[in-house]
Amino acid sequence: MDADYIIVGGGSAGCVLANRLSAKASVLLLEAGGRDNYHWVHIPVGYLYCIGNPRTDWGFRTAEEPGLNGRSLMYPRGRILGGCSSINGMLYLRGQAADYDHWRQLGLAGWGWDDVLPYFKRSEDYVDGADDLHGAGGEWRVDNQRLHWDILDAWREAAVQAGLPRTDDFNTGDNEGVGYFKVNQRDGWRLNTAKAFLRPAMRSGRLRVETDAQAEGLILEGRRAVGVRYRQNGQVKELRAGREVILSAGAIGSPQLLQLSGIGPGDHLQAHGVEVVLDQPGIGANLQDHLQLRCAWKVSNAVTLNTLSASLLGKARIAAEYALRRTGPMSMSPSQLGAFARSGPDVATADLEYHVQPLSLDAFGQPLHPFDALTASVCHLRPESRGHVRIASPDPRAQPEIAPNYLSTEGDRRVAAAAIRLTRRIMAQPALAAFAPEEFRPGPEVPDDDAALARAAGDIGTTIFHPVGTVRMGADDAAPLDPALRLRGIGGLRVVDASVMPTITSGNTNSPTIMIAEKAADLILAQT
């Protein structure tokens, strides 16, 4: 055997698993992308140059979405060591206690808030030190941001005037309120999981990492996974695991690889010429994502990134500040100020999340607008809509069909309308009056009624990069995975990444994925 464990995917979950498992066993990690030695990975503002870049991003697109008025979206996924933690917004958010208690109520014993909190704390290195809710000394640094914008302070005051409480910590189990996000950075540099978890583990001598190695299928002996077939440097190679194969290729890659291996919805696999090993309709189903509505206002009497970076002199000042102090716009995450709110009085916990930015653009990868502006991006945290990921070809190099099915329910459209309405109310508060905000997205011509606002949401909505749920765990037999993340019907195979979530968490999904990997490592090592 080549190793006790083979992990497919060197992203957020795969790097954590490689660290924890290699402390006790031999591990072989396969990553389709390259090493994380690209300078824009490590400079925080570099996400602008990593998203859509084939060096770091798979370059996926969604199907044309009826709920988005026929639009197809760019769908970034990390293709590099560190995975999405190398290209994401660096925000440290756990979600809500109620998210995990709901998992437990679905029959997933051991996945409630009290069960998972120790796993969040295990790897955490919190800027303010350890307490009942936070850990210190772990690999995953949680730091304060290193820049300041007057326009964001004013938005925070406006949100308070609109009824939101202030908060300094979104990670206590109840995240309702407005405040500044904490970030996964160290000394002004991005911290990805490759730096935090993988590199230290490589010193053990029990971990081997293969990059530019794209998995093409599982090696099965009957109903047991014994290895992985992959392509590297134009050659097809095989590796065998002594104990288990673990898929950590993400909410898109894991269901795709299972389907290519004959594990998935039988009729669909047969239609694409794939021999069915296990007919499991749940593989690739249950796709959930957060749809962000990028509401934007022109502002006056404010400094924003739009004009600050518009001149060579402005760019030089930004670069100099980062070079000298590791502060300023080059140290910024895409969103600095956040808020969690309820879409209505009948909602028990916050179901809206704001990412507020002192900038505006048509889409990531597009240039900033030539006027000062503020974007108050708001997403529905617990969408009802469910989509799918399905292979579109038996060729492993072909993109699968990704259909999130955004705004496909009346409930999601109603919440989208409420989100735009609340954003308008915040922008109309006295704290922002000095900046004379002028709405241009969705635009003042959109009337204040649910149908019109839902249509506008379809025009301005885009992914905030949180796909989950496509190989869900569950206590029910229809779930592809059991609560220990073992694939039902196939021995020697687990899935450990964001695809295992039965329902999406109420916040950004990177750190919950790291928690899942921490818990999975304990489950795996306890079995052996």
Side-chain angles (χ1 to χ4, degrees):
M1 299 301 168
D2 295 287
D4 295 318
Y5 299 101
I6 296 175
I7 302 170
V8 179
S12 296
C15 289
V16 175
L17 278 174
N19 181 297
R20 302 309 190 215
L21 297 182
S22 65
K24 301 287 182 67
S26 61
V27 177
L28 208 159
L29 177 71
L30 295 178
E31 166 55 41
R35 298 195 172 272
D36 62 326
N37 55 2
Y38 184 41
H39 66 283
W40 283 121
V41 166
H42 306 290
I43 298 171
V45 80
Y47 67 89
L48 290 171
Y49 308 102
C50 291
I51 290 176
N53 183 341
R55 180 171 180 172
T56 51
D57 182 3
W58 281 96
F60 293 141
R61 294 196 69 88
T62 69
E64 293 180 352
E65 287 281 295
L68 302 186
N69 303 322
R71 292 186 298 127
S72 168
L73 299 181
M74 181 173 68
Y75 215 66
R77 296 283 87 200
R79 189 176 187 270
I80 188 172
L81 283 180
C84 289
S85 76
S86 293
I87 69 171
N88 70 1
M90 297 161 282
L91 302 184
Y92 180 76
L93 291 157
R94 298 170 173 174
Q96 298 168 358
D99 298 331
Y100 304 100
D101 289 342
H102 175 61
W103 292 5
R104 182 174 57 199
Q105 290 159 8
L106 292 174
L108 292 165
W111 288 96
W113 172 251
D114 291 340
D115 302 306
V116 303
L117 180 58
Y119 290 106
F120 280 112
K121 293 170 64 177
R122 173 188 285 180
S123 55
E124 189 178 17
D125 185 20
Y126 192 64
V127 61
D128 294 326
D131 58 25
D132 290 344
L133 290 167
H134 292 287
E139 296 89 346
W140 200 229
R141 177 67 177 174
V142 179
D143 217 337
N144 293 318
Q145 300 194 53
R146 301 165 69 90
L147 73 167
H148 172 84
W149 302 89
D150 290 339
I151 187 72
L152 295 187
D153 289 344
W155 199 95
R156 179 177 57 181
E157 290 304 311
V160 171
Q161 290 171 350
L164 282 180
R166 300 177 192 274
T167 185
D168 293 321
D169 189 354
F170 290 126
N171 294 295
T172 63
D174 178 4
N175 53 17
E176 186 169 6
V178 58
Y180 283 89
F181 290 120
K182 295 290 194 295
V183 291
N184 295 121
Q185 295 180 9
R186 189 183 296 278
D187 300 326
W189 298 99
R190 174 194 289 274
L191 185 66
N192 66 357
T193 54
K195 281 193 284 191
F197 295 93
L198 195 63
R199 290 182 195 171
M202 293 178 73
R203 295 193 289 265
S204 71
R206 290 184 292 272
L207 172 62
R208 172 180 156 199
V209 177
E210 294 287 342
T211 55
D212 300 304
Q214 183 174 347
E216 296 194 340
L218 298 171
I219 300 170
L220 301 169
E221 292 182 354
R223 289 292 185 94
R224 183 172 183 82
V226 297
V228 178
R229 185 176 64 257
Y230 68 103
R231 184 179 297 272
Q232 186 181 52
N233 299 324
Q235 293 184 311
V236 176
K237 305 178 182 180
E238 293 187 353
L239 292 167
R240 299 206 166 226
R243 295 180 184 171
E244 291 187 9
V245 175
I246 304 166
L247 301 189
S248 296
I252 308 302
S254 287
Q256 179 188 21
L257 187 60
L258 287 167
Q259 291 175 20
L260 290 169
S261 303
I263 303 167
D267 290 347
H268 184 77
L269 300 187
Q270 287 178 331
H272 287 282
V274 176
E275 182 180 352
V276 178
V277 175
L278 177 66
D279 184 2
Q280 170 47 275
I283 302 291
N286 194 48
L287 173 62
Q288 299 158 62
D289 190 16
H290 289 145
L291 179 72
Q292 63 170 334
L293 310 180
R294 294 187 60 80
C295 303
W297 274 256
K298 295 180 181 179
V299 294
S300 303
N301 310 312
V303 176
T304 73
L305 193 62
N306 284 19
T307 53
L308 190 64
S309 63
S311 67
L312 289 175
L313 180 59
K315 288 183 172 69
R317 287 175 175 170
I318 290 170
E321 181 178 359
Y322 186 74
L324 293 171
R325 297 198 297 270
R326 297 288 180 268
T327 59
M330 286 187 71
S331 74
M332 68 188 268
S333 64
S335 305
Q336 298 85 60
L337 184 71
F340 289 83
R342 286 176 285 170
S343 62
D346 57 334
V347 179
T349 62
D351 64 337
L352 299 177
E353 179 182 4
Y354 281 91
H355 294 77
V356 190
Q357 306 155 342
L359 55 85
S360 66
L361 38 70
D362 290 334
F364 282 110
Q366 299 295 315
L368 297 171
H369 292 138
F371 47 79
D372 283 310
L374 177 142
T375 299
S377 172
V378 57
C379 69
H380 183 192
L381 290 170
R382 296 186 292 277
E384 299 170 348
S385 298
R386 298 292 185 267
H388 65 257
V389 174
R390 295 176 186 157
I391 58 169
S393 164
D395 182 354
R397 291 162 290 185
Q399 178 189 313
E401 180 186 72
I402 303 168
N405 215 17
Y406 298 118
L407 298 177
S408 61
T409 73
E410 181 58 36
D412 285 357
R413 292 189 290 273
R414 184 174 59 251
V415 172
I420 296 173
R421 192 174 289 120
L422 175 59
T423 309
R424 286 175 165 176
R425 183 156 65 88
I426 292 171
M427 294 300 302
Q429 296 301 314
L432 286 165
F435 300 102
E438 178 185 344
E439 179 183 340
F440 70 95
R441 280 194 179 162
E445 70 279 3
V446 178
D448 188 14
D449 71 74
D450 280 4
L453 291 173
R455 282 194 302 273
D459 289 331
I460 65 174
T462 186
T463 178
I464 204 164
F465 323 130
H466 299 160
V468 308
T470 48
V471 193
R472 72 174 176 93
M473 59 175 168
D476 58 299
D477 291 340
L481 304 179
D482 70 13
L485 309 181
R486 295 172 295 209
L487 191 78
R488 288 188 168 97
I490 301 290
L493 181 60
R494 291 188 210 234
V495 180
V496 181
D497 55 33
S499 72
V500 312
M501 296 186 192
T503 54
I504 195 166
T505 54
S506 300
N508 303 55
T509 52
N510 186 245
S511 288
T513 300
I514 290 172
M515 175 279 292
I516 289 168
E518 288 276 24
K519 182 173 173 63
D522 273 7
L523 292 170
I524 293 165
L525 292 173
Q527 180 174 313
T528 57

